[in-house]
């Protein structure tokens, strides 16, 4: 008898709770961000197979291993872009960035993208100086806001980074035939006729990077000097690193 009275007394609240739980089970939580899929190619001229890829986004992380063609796919559950990537093999770690805030992103990882990440991390932030590592730079709200804009990143690559790279390659006797940020965001398959692959081989032949894919000390010094003279990134005071 007492249980019947309790059920009658709280009937409305019990029904409301049950309905809410049922809806949540059917449709999920609308506040949860969607999963992010990040794909790309890891190469230093030749494809790098068996590389351990780590993706660290503004929120969420994921890992993968490259296949024989150097390609990878990482799903970041409940992720929010942009993302910082690294690929490690043979004692060398190359980094890259998945720019924008969509749910399907492409980010190649190569000596060129690694130098881009290093370069951008050394561009001053207005009133905030610079950061000691790419990772600490990425954790900053100003960097994440900048990387969320494909337009802003593309402009920096075209007007600042590539001219610096072309000067370095020319000093080594080569020609870098790249004019935009497609080396970062356009899928490719390493082959002797692919323009992105050719560019990576030229970096080695011009002694801008070593055969391992790591940038030389002279290259890093030159890029740091160029980055320090670039227009500072605007300060963003909201958001935090993931």
């Amino acid at each position: 008898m007492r249980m019947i009275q309790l059920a009658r007394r709280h009937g409305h609240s019990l029904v409301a709770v049950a309905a809410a739980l049922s809806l949540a089970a059917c449709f999920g939580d609308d506040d949860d961000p969607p999963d992010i899929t990040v794909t790309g190619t890891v190469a230093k001229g030749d494809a790098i197979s068996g590389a351990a890829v780590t993706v660290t986004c503004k929120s969420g992380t994921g890992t993968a291993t490259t296949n024989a063609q150097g390609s990878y796919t990482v799903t970041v559950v409940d992720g929010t872009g942009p993302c910082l990537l690294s690929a490690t093999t043979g004692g060398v770690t190359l980094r890259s960035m998945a720019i924008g805030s969509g749910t399907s992103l492409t980010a190649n990882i190569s000596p060129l993208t690694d130098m881009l990440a290093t370069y951008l991390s050394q561009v001053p932030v207005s009133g905030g100086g610079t950061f000691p590592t790419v990772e600490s730079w990425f954790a900053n709200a100003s960097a994440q806001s900048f990387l969320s804009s494909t337009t802003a990143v593309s402009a920096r690559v075209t007007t600042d980074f590539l001219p610096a790279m072309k000067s370095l390659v020319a000093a080594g006797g080569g020609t870098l035939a790249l004019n935009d940020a497609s080396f970062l965001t356009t899928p490719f398959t390493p082959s002797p006729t692919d323009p992105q692959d050719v560019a990576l081989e030229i970096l080695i032949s011009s002694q801008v990077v070593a055969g391992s894919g790591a940038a030389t000390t002279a290259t890093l010094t030159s890029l740091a000097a160029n980055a320090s003279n670039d227009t500072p990134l605007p300060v963003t005071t909201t958001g935090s690193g993931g």
Side-chain angles (χ1 to χ4, degrees):
M1 183 66 175
R2 178 174 175 75
M3 292 184 65
I4 294 174
Q5 291 173 341
L6 286 172
R8 288 173 177 170
R9 185 183 305 169
H10 300 290
H12 293 297
S13 60
L14 289 173
V15 169
V17 171
L21 290 174
S22 178
L23 286 172
C26 291
F27 299 106
D29 188 346
D30 288 341
D31 293 332
D32 286 343
D35 296 347
I36 295 176
T37 300
V38 185
T39 59
T41 301
V42 182
K44 59 179 181 180
D46 294 332
I48 301 178
S49 63
V53 176
T54 299
V55 178
T56 303
C57 298
K58 181 178 179 179
S59 66
T61 61
T63 59
T65 301
T66 58
N67 64 17
Q69 289 74 45
S71 65
Y72 74 90
T73 298
V74 173
T75 299
V76 181
V77 178
D78 294 342
T80 303
C83 309
L84 179 67
L85 296 85
S86 67
T88 302
T89 183
V92 174
T93 297
L94 301 175
R95 291 156 300 187
S96 186
M97 298 151 294
I99 61 177
S101 55
T103 58
S104 181
L105 304 174
T106 299
N108 297 318
I109 308 174
S110 70
L112 192 58
T113 68
D114 184 66
M115 287 185 287
L116 173 61
T118 299
Y119 183 91
L120 291 175
S121 72
Q122 294 174 336
V123 174
V125 174
S126 296
T130 56
F131 297 87
T133 65
V134 173
E135 290 73 18
S136 62
W137 172 76
F138 176 76
N140 181 266
S142 296
Q144 292 179 0
S145 176
F146 165 69
L147 293 174
S148 294
S149 170
T150 56
T151 300
V153 175
S154 295
R156 290 275 180 166
V157 170
T158 302
T159 61
D160 298 328
F161 174 70
L162 282 180
M165 289 302 307
K166 289 181 178 183
S167 295
L168 284 169
V169 171
T175 301
L176 190 63
L178 296 175
N179 298 306
D180 54 35
S182 59
F183 67 87
L184 176 65
T185 59
T186 300
F188 77 106
T189 300
S191 70
T193 59
D194 184 272
Q196 292 193 59
D197 195 22
V198 170
L200 295 176
E201 294 287 359
I202 288 174
L203 294 178
I204 296 174
S205 64
S206 301
Q207 299 182 336
V208 173
V209 302
S212 64
T216 66
T217 300
T219 294
L220 294 175
T221 300
S222 178
L223 290 177
N226 278 276
S228 66
N229 292 319
D230 282 353
T231 303
L233 297 178
V235 172
T236 300
T237 57
T238 58
S240 60

